Amino acid sequence: MIIRELRLCQARRALVTAPLRQSCLRALTTQTNVPNTQKSEIPSIFTSNARSSSNTRKRRVDPDKMVENYHMATELKKHIGKVGATVKKVYRPANVFLYPPGPKDVTLELLMASQAHMGHHTSLWNPANARYIFGIRQGIHIISLEETAAHLRRAARVVEEIAYRGGIILFAGTRPGHMQIVTQAAQLAGACHLFSKWTPGSITNGEVILRGMPATVVDEHDKPVEGYEKFVTESRPLVPDLVVCLNPLENYVLLHECALANVPTIGVIDTNAEPTWVTYAIPANDDSLRCLAVIGSVLGRAGESGKKRRLEDAKQGTVAWETPIEVQKFMAEERANAAREAERIAAINKAQSAA
């Protein structure tokens, strides 16, 4: 008991005044013998508590009522299933590719849902686009959707008429995410597409850059015609009759070459772009893939309708386009060569018969 009192009362003072040896510390930490009665009582208390706690902590197992709850929910749904409002999803971004809209489906609600009205910051605007801007909100120019719808319908009309007359249409979009848009639009309109970098000089110097590119000659029913292999290999590369550009800022070289070759162009013009670069401008947000998907689908549907009109008229004997001058010259030369060959063969046969 003396050692215990010394440890409890004088331990702090003894440790502070002078350091103690290891043997002294061992002597201070030893305890006096505890009576056997206390030793036996302490473990018994802990063991009894552990046993009681283990019995109370057993998890209750509830009966499985999954089938019963399912039938109950089914019966409840029969009674209250038709109660409440019917919620319909008006706009889904994936529907632009599953069900491409046409020129008749262009509405202000569709354009707003596709974020076509969002322009750039006021510090980045081009004053030439002032006629397309509706206002300013939080430092951002808002494009007038009425102007967008009107210009989009006009561009769709141009695409439809060029497709009706058998023209070559090129859909170009070189930003990430434009590949699916331009390929679907070209597939609908029966046109060409470009989603990689434009090769400079493909129009102005196409005779050198595009030499030997494959081409086909088709009739009024869009079926390949045989006998023009020589013409295809020796003819000049084709030049598109219309170019639809989704990002004019990155394709200035393409638009410049189209202007030099008198090729009409259609471009999506944002508030920071130059509208005079293209022939037919569509004021809209060129950074939104939803907006570009809507515009590409509308123009693709317009080309599809023009192509259908041309094929229907061709079945009735009406051809809306004329044979190119180069093809006419090639056909005239082939006919002249065939006539000379027939005359030569006739002369040979006549000489053999006279002999």
Side-chain angles (χ1 to χ4, degrees), residues 96-256:
V96 178
F97 297 104
L98 297 177
Y99 312 101
K104 298 181 180 179
D105 301 328
V106 177
T107 58
L108 300 183
E109 292 80 7
L110 177 62
L111 295 176
M112 179 170 288
S114 61
Q115 301 175 354
H117 61 286
M118 298 296 295
H120 284 273
H121 196 268
T122 55
S123 60
L124 302 175
W125 81 307
N126 190 335
N129 296 320
R131 52 186 172 177
Y132 305 139
I133 296 175
F134 176 78
I136 300 174
R137 183 175 178 84
Q138 296 181 358
I140 303 297
H141 276 128
I142 304 300
I143 302 173
S144 176
L145 294 180
E146 295 179 354
E147 296 288 339
T148 303
H151 286 75
L152 181 57
R153 294 191 183 100
R154 183 185 66 170
R157 184 65 178 176
V158 173
V159 174
E160 181 180 357
E161 292 301 323
I162 291 181
Y164 175 73
R165 286 167 175 78
I168 301 175
I169 304 174
L170 174 63
F171 289 88
T174 58
R175 289 182 183 177
H178 289 182
M179 181 176 64
Q180 185 178 5
I181 300 172
V182 297
T183 52
Q184 185 186 32
Q187 184 178 4
L188 291 173
C192 307
H193 62 270
L194 173 70
F195 52 82
S196 58
K197 183 180 178 181
W198 171 259
T199 304
S202 298
I203 294 179
T204 55
N205 195 22
E207 296 181 359
V208 178
I209 297 176
L210 301 179
R211 180 181 298 175
M213 295 298 292
T216 57
V217 179
V218 296
D219 57 3
E220 64 273 12
H221 303 286
D222 286 353
K223 295 181 179 180
V225 181
E226 299 179 356
Y228 290 88
E229 290 78 9
K230 182 180 179 181
F231 170 76
V232 171
T233 55
E234 296 179 357
S235 63
R236 299 175 59 185
L238 298 176
V239 177
D241 299 298
L242 176 66
V243 175
V244 179
C245 185
L246 300 182
N247 52 334
L249 290 177
E250 290 82 0
N251 293 302
Y252 170 75
V253 178
L254 168 61
L255 300 176
H256 182 65

Side-chain angles (χ1 to χ4, degrees), residues 296-310:
S297 300
V298 170
L299 299 180
R301 285 293 190 187
E304 183 183 18
S305 61
K307 180 181 177 181
K308 287 182 179 180
R309 286 173 48 204
R310 175 168 54 83

